[in-house]
Amino acid sequence: MAKTPESKLGLAVMQVLASRSEYKAHVRTLIKGVPDHITLTEQDCKMSETRPNEQMWEQRVRNLKSHDKTTGNVIAEGLVKYLGKGMYQLTDSGVSHLKAKNLL
């Protein structure tokens, strides 16, 4: 089975943010919460070759900021904002997006 698409991983991140006070969370909280919102594939759960003790999906969550100009990335799409020092926040557009999908 292929890795989870960026869009589904981003949606899970947004759902974790939506469950937090002020829609804010640290990347560690995102990593703890993402598996509650998606079924990770075998590819997702492979160990990272560049980050010891981290699965590929965790690396992808940590890379949200570094890929923030990539189409489909929740930051690039204006759904999530990076606040600095590992902190993220769901934007008003992100809230509306989740409400439109009946996920909030």
Side-chain angles (χ1 to χ4, degrees):
M1 192 182 279
K3 69 181 180 179
T4 298
E6 192 76 25
S7 59
K8 286 188 179 183
L9 192 61
L11 188 61
V13 164
M14 292 171 60
Q15 289 175 283
V16 174
L17 289 168
S19 72
R20 307 294 298 174
S21 172
E22 298 180 30
Y23 301 136
K24 293 181 186 178
H26 192 272
V27 70
R28 288 186 304 266
T29 302
L30 298 178
I31 288 170
K32 284 182 187 174
V34 162
D36 294 337
H37 298 281
I38 59 172
T39 301
L40 297 166
T41 69
E42 197 173 306
Q43 286 292 102
D44 293 329
C45 295
K46 285 188 174 182
M47 296 306 291
S48 169
E49 294 178 9
T50 57
R51 292 192 178 159
N53 302 316
E54 191 167 274
Q55 294 179 356
M56 290 304 298
W57 73 269
E58 294 171 294
Q59 180 174 341
R60 291 174 64 207
V61 171
R62 287 188 190 280
N63 285 345
L64 282 174
K65 173 59 182 129
S66 60
H67 296 181
D68 66 352
K69 304 288 187 248
T70 305
T71 302
N73 174 288
V74 290
I75 297 172
E77 301 298 327
L79 303 171
V80 172
K81 178 172 38 173
Y82 180 68
L83 303 175
K85 299 189 182 198
M87 290 295 293
Y88 293 85
Q89 184 175 31
L90 194 61
T91 65
D92 291 341
S93 293
V95 170
S96 295
H97 184 81
L98 290 177
K99 284 181 178 177
K101 292 185 169 288
N102 292 317
L103 296 173
L104 183 68

